[in-house]
Amino acid sequence: MHKARLLAATHAHPPAPADPPTLNIGCSGWFYWHLRGTFYPTQMPTKEWFAYYSDHFSTVELNAPFYSWPTIGTVEAWRRQAAGRPMVYTVKVSELITHIKKFEGTQDLVRDFGYIADLLGPLMGCFLFQLPPSVPYSPALLDTILAQLDPARRNVIEFRHASWWNDHVYAALEKAGAVFCSCSGPKLPDTLIKTAGDIYVRFHGVQRWYRHDYSVEELTVWAQRIIEARAKRVWVYFNNDFDGYAIKNAAMLSHILGSG
């Protein structure tokens, strides 16, 4: 990815950011074995799963890049599978940057990973930078993170420690043009934060991670928050994938907001 980025930079200017739809609702990942028989028809070959998913949702949050740095071939495969479909990918940034190196000396790595957006072109949504839950608020770390972000990208930062929900963080992200990831998660503030034109929400669960089946009433509360935020663009992903709840709840919220 590094060599490809440098080579591309010597030949052409990066393409302008794509202009995705106003409302983007989907799931955090689409390939889970437990979805066979609960979402995907039992006899459907796995090679047909993405097409089936894209018949129901027009965006997906890719979690695999967090665990394994994508190759050029991987990104090209994403492009091929979405060909002819109204699909937008959001890409979770590698744990090498966020969890292992913890943003120490990762400027080039962030640029290299950002090249994925140039390769995806109009299929690109956001980059999701997720911090570990063990990392509390630190003004120095916040400055380090924001200094490495490319403002030409749609950068979303997900904090997992409640101390990051404070006015200094909101102001710093707003100044940098970065998006604060609002979370529905255990022991995290239950509120929607807006620091940019776009807003971004991840649903993980209420009392337990990944296992909560959101009720219509709970999603209606979030739908009202989303409407009242008057965002230029909305990104919502369900990560409560236990028993297929993410699929079910994403469809519910889409219906509530009038997109389903």
Side-chain angles (χ1 to χ4, degrees), residues 55-108:
D55 286 340
H56 294 77
F57 304 100
S58 59
T59 188
V60 65
E61 188 181 75
L62 299 177
N63 280 320
F66 175 78
Y67 301 101
S68 178
W69 191 287
T71 64
I72 299 295
T74 300
V75 181
E76 291 174 347
W78 297 342
R79 292 176 58 181
R80 287 195 301 272
Q81 72 180 4
R85 303 180 182 279
M87 177 58 61
V88 179
Y89 293 115
T90 277
V91 185
K92 189 173 179 181
V93 175
S94 172
E95 64 178 343
L96 176 63
I97 295 171
T98 60
H99 286 55
I100 298 174
K101 290 184 174 293
K102 297 180 180 178
F103 293 95
E104 292 185 11
T106 55
Q107 293 88 340
D108 282 344

Side-chain angles (χ1 to χ4, degrees), residues 133-138 159-170 180 187-189:
S134 59
V135 177
Y137 167 63
S138 161
F159 303 104
R160 289 287 185 91
H161 194 286
S163 60
W164 291 92
W165 273 253
N166 70 68
D167 289 340
H168 179 77
V169 173
Y170 308 153
F180 185 101
K187 299 182 180 180
L188 295 177

Side-chain angles (χ1 to χ4, degrees), residues 102-236:
K102 297 180 180 178
F103 293 95
E104 292 185 11
T106 55
Q107 293 88 340
D108 282 344
L109 289 175
V110 171
R111 295 190 191 101
D112 292 344
F113 201 90
Y115 183 54
I116 291 172
D118 296 341
L119 295 173
L120 286 177
L123 299 176
M124 182 66 199
C126 307
F127 283 117
L128 175 66
F129 294 82
Q130 181 195 91
L131 271 68
S134 59
V135 177
Y137 167 63
S138 161
L141 177 57
L142 179 61
D143 290 344
T144 297
I145 294 171
L146 295 180
Q148 296 183 44
L149 301 185
D150 182 349
R153 316 296 190 191
R154 294 186 190 87
N155 300 303
V156 181
I157 306 178
E158 181 184 21
F159 303 104
R160 289 287 185 91
H161 194 286
S163 60
W164 291 92
W165 273 253
N166 70 68
D167 289 340
H168 179 77
V169 173
Y170 308 153
L173 265 65
E174 183 174 358
K175 183 178 180 180
V179 180
F180 185 101
C181 179
S182 301
C183 296
S184 174
K187 299 182 180 180
L188 295 177
D190 186 48
T191 185
L192 192 153
I193 305 298
K194 181 183 179 185
T195 61
D198 291 17
I199 57 174
Y200 196 105
V201 185
R202 298 188 88 207
F203 287 89
H204 301 292
V206 176
Q207 295 181 335
R208 292 196 298 169
W209 290 93
Y210 320 123
R211 291 174 173 265
H212 184 69
D213 183 8
Y214 288 87
S215 67
V216 172
E217 291 75 18
E218 288 172 319
L219 292 180
T220 298
V221 170
W222 275 98
Q224 190 60 39
R225 293 170 180 168
I226 290 169
I227 293 170
E228 292 175 353
R230 298 182 180 277
K232 175 184 177 182
R233 192 176 290 106
V234 177
W235 307 87
V236 179

Side-chain angles (χ1 to χ4, degrees), residues 26-40:
C27 301
S28 298
W30 57 274
F31 195 100
Y32 296 109
W33 289 112
H34 62 264
L35 292 180
R36 170 175 274 163
T38 59
F39 175 58
Y40 300 115

